[in-house]
C-alpha cells in the first residue's frame, strides 16, 4: 500500500477527508442540495432534472448520519476517492517526490474543491469519470472479462450521474475508433445499456419528460456575446482558478505518447469545443464543463513533474490558491468572514422564522422548487411547489407531492403578494407573504393537449384527467400564455373555450373532455413565438399543463 501510496499521500488524504467532513457537517445546505435531498425521499430510477445517482448518494448518507452530513457523507468519500484515482492514473517514476504538489494542484481546482463536500450530480460524475479513465487505461493493455465488466458498470454509473457523461464516453471512443472492432468493447457497452435500462424504462413511462424539457421546453434568451460566449470563456478560467495559465500551458505542451494520452486530449478538447459551439445558442453553466478537470489534472501533474519552471510557479500559486479557498470554505460556515451572502447562509433562520408562525401547517410555495425542499428538510413538514405558467416544470410537477396537501389547510406563500396572514424575510431580506387556505386543491397534472383544426383559426383542446378522482369542470379556468421565440412568458390571457359536449359537467378519472377555441390576440406583445395552454382550479394561477406550441412558421 505504501509503495503505491506514500505515507505523506495517505496523511494528506486523511486531512482532506477530515476537512471535508467538518465542512459538510457545519455548512447549511444550498438550494440544489435540498432539492436533491427531496429526490431521495422517494427513490426512483429517474427524476425530472437528472438521473438517480445523486439521490442514491443521499439515501446512503442518511443511513449513517442525520442533518447536513446525512446529505453529504458520500460526497466526502467520493471526493477523496477521486484523488486516489487521479494518483493512480499518473504513471511517472518521480511522482512520489511531488505529493504536496499533487494535492495543491487538485485542491486549487475550484469546483473540484467545492464538490468535495457539496452533494450535486457533478460529484459522482467526477469520481466515475476518473474511474472510467482508469479502467479504460487498463482495458487498453488487458481487455479481460472482469476489466470489461467493470468498464461497462462504470459507464452505466457515469450515465446515472448526469446526462453530460455521454460526452466522456463519446470523446474517449473517438480517440480510439478501433474499439468498434473489439468484441470486448461491445460487451462493455452491452453491460452499460443493460444496467441503464431501468432509467430508459423510467423515461418511457414518464413520456421522456427530462429529455423534452432539456432539449425543447427549457426557456432560453437571445444570443449575447458577453453573457454566452464570453461568459463561457470566463467559466473555463474559473474552473482552474489561479492556476489557469499553467494548467492551460500543460495542455498546449502535452504530447500524445500513447492511446491513453490521446484519450485525455480528445476528452479535454472535445468538451471545450462542444460547449464553445453550444455557447452560441445558450448560456453554458460552469458545472457543465467540470468533467475536463479530471483529464486536465492528469495532464497538468505530468507537466508539473517534468517542467521545473512550471513546477515552481504552480507550487507557489497553489499555496496562495489553497489559502484563499480555505478562507472561502470557512466563510461558508461563518458568513461574517466576508461581506457577501451566499445561498448556504441564513436558510435555517428564515425556515425557523416561518415555522414559528405556522407550526405544523403544510406550506405551499408558489414557483419555488428551491424553498419548498429547504423548508421541508429543516422542519420535517410536508411542502409543495405549485408551479404556474410563469415558471418551469420540476420534480414537483411529476411526483405525488400534490396529494400530501390535498384537502388540507395550508399556508400559500408567494413572492408576488403584497400582504398576507404571515410574512417572513428570506436570507436576502426579500419579504414573502403567505395566506392560509382551507381545503386546498390543485390540479397541476391535468394534461392540455392542443391540436390545430383543418382550416380556419379554430384549435382543439383535449383535457385529460390522470387523477384517481373526478373533477368538476365548473371548478376549472383555462388560460393561454404567450412566449417569445426563446420560450420566455411575456403575456398570459384568459382562454375562452367552447365545449364539444356541453352536457358533460364532470371530468371523470382517466377520461378526456374536448373543447374548441380561438386564440385571443395578445395585448402587450407582438409576434409571439409560442403559446401554451394552462389549466387552474378557480382562484389559483394556471399551471404548465400543455407543451409550447410554435406559432411562427
Amino acid at each position: 500500500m505504501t509503495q503505491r501510496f506514500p505515507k505523506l499521500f495517505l496523511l494528506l488524504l486523511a486531512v482532506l477527508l477530515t476537512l471535508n467532513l467538518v465542512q459538510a457537517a457545519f455548512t447549511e445546505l444550498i438550494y440544489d442540495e435540498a432539492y436533491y435531498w427531496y429526490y431521495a425521499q422517494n427513490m426512483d430510477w429517474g427524476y425530472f432534472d437528472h438521473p438517480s445517482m445523486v439521490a442514491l448518494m443521499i439515501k446512503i448518507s442518511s443511513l449513517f448520519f442525520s442533518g447536513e452530513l446525512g446529505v453529504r457523507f458520500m460526497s466526502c468519500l467520493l471526493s477523496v476517492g477521486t484523488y486516489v484515482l487521479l494518483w493512480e492514473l499518473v504513471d511517472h517514476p518521480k511522482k512520489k517526490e511531488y505529493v504536496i504538489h499533487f494535492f495543491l494542484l487538485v485542491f486549487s481546482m475550484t469546483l473540484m474543491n467545492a464538490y468535495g463536500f457539496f452533494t450535486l450530480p457533478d460529484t459522482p460524475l467526477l469520481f466515475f469519470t476518473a474511474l472510467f479513465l482508469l479502467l479504460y487505461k487498463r482495458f487498453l493493455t488487458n481487455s479481460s472479462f472482469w476489466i470489461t465488466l467493470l468498464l461497462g458498470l462504470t459507464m452505466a454509473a457515469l450515465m446515472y450521474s448526469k446526462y453530460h457523461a455521454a460526452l466522456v464516453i463519446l470523446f474517449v471512443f473517438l480517440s480510439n475508433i478501433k474499439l468498434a472492432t473489439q468484441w470486448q468493447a461491445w460487451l462493455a457497452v452491452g453491460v452499460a445499456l443493460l444496467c441503464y435500462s431501468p432509467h430508459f424504462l423510467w423515461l418511457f413511462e414518464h413520456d421522456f419528460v427530462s429529455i423534452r424539457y432539456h432539449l425543447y421546453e427549457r426557456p432560453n434568451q437571445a444570443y449575447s456575446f458577453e453573457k454566452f460566449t464570453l461568459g463561457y470563456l470566463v467559466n473555463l478560467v474559473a474552473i482552474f482558478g489561479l492556476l489557469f495559465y499553467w494548467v492551460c500551458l500543460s495542455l498546449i505542451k502535452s504530447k500524445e505518447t500513447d492511446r491513453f494520452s490521446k484519450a485525455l486530449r480528445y476528452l479535454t478538447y472535445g468538451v471545450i469545443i462542444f460547449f464553445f459551439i453550444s455557447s452560441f445558442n445558450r448560456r453554458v453553466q460552469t458545472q457543465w464543463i467540470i468533467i475536463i478537470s479530471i483529464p486536465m489534472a492528469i495532464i497538468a501533474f505530468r507537466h508539473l513533474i517534468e517542467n521545473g519552471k512550471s513546477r515552481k510557479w504552480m507550487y507557489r500559486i497553489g499555496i496562495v490558491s489553497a489559502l484563499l479557498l480555505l478562507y472561502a470554505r470557512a466563510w461558508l460556515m461563518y458568513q461574517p468572514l466576508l461581506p457577501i451572502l451566499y445561498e448556504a447562509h441564513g436558510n435555517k433562520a428564515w425556515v425557523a422564522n416561518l415555522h414559528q408562525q405556522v407550526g405544523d401547517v403544510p406550506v405551499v410555495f408558489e414557483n419555488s422548487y428551491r424553498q419548498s425542499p429547504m423548508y421541508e428538510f429543516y422542519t420535517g413538514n410536508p411542502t409543495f411547489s405549485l408551479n404556474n405558467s410563469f415558471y418551469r416544470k420540476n420534480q414537483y410537477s411529476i411526483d405525488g407531492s400534490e396529494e400530501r396537501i390535498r384537502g388540507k389547510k395550508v399556508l400559500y406563500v408567494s413572492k408576488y403578494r403584497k400582504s398576507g396572514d404571515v410574512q417572513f424575510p428570506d436570507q436576502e431580506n426579500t419579504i414573502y407573504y403567505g395566506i392560509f387556505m382551507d381545503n386546498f386543491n390543485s390540479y397541476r397534472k391535468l394534461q392540455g393537449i392542443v391540436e390545430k383544426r383543418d382550416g380556419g383559426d379554430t384549435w382543439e383542446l383535449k383535457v385529460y384527467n390522470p387523477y384517481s378522482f373526478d373533477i368538476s369542470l365548473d371548478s376549472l379556468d383555462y388560460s393561454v400564455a404567450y412566449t417569445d421565440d426563446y420560450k420566455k412568458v411575456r403575456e398570459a390571457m384568459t382562454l375562452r373555450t367552447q365545449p364539444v359536449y356541453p352536457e358533460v359537467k364532470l371530468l371523470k378519472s382517466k377520461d378526456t373532455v374536448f373543447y374548441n377555441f380561438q386564440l385571443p390576440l395578445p395585448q402587450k406583445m407582438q409576434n409571439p413565438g409560442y403559446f401554451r395552454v394552462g389549466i387552474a382550479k378557480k382562484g389559483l394561477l394556471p399551471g404548465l399543463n400543455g407543451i409550447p406550441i410554435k406559432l411562427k412558421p
Side-chain angles (χ1 to χ4, degrees), residues 446-453 457-465 471-479 495-508 511-519 531 533-536 538:
L446 288 177
Q447 298 175 20
I449 305 165
V450 173
E451 295 178 356
K452 185 71 183 289
R453 284 195 171 278
D457 298 324
T458 302
W459 297 76
E460 180 183 61
L461 170 63
K462 304 174 185 177
V463 180
Y464 173 70
N465 176 13
I471 300 173
S472 170
L473 292 175
D474 290 336
S475 68
L476 301 180
D477 285 329
Y478 302 95
S479 71
L495 184 65
R496 302 188 182 279
T497 57
Q498 296 294 325
V500 176
Y501 304 104
E503 68 279 5
V504 176
K505 301 297 182 183
L506 201 65
L507 176 51
K508 293 184 175 296
D511 203 357
T512 305
V513 293
F514 301 84
Y515 296 92
N516 293 323
F517 69 91
Q518 291 185 331
L519 283 172
F531 78 91
V533 168
I535 307 170
K538 291 184 183 297

Side-chain angles (χ1 to χ4, degrees), residues 322-335:
L323 291 174
L324 290 174
L325 287 170
L326 285 171
Y327 191 85
R329 288 172 65 134
W331 161 71
L332 284 175
M333 294 186 286
Y334 185 63
Q335 188 272 326

Side-chain angles (χ1 to χ4, degrees), residues 47 50 58 158 223 267 351 359 409 421 509:
Y47 299 91
H50 296 290
I58 295 172
L158 263 173
Y223 175 74
L267 175 55
V351 167
K409 178 181 179 180
D421 303 316
S509 171

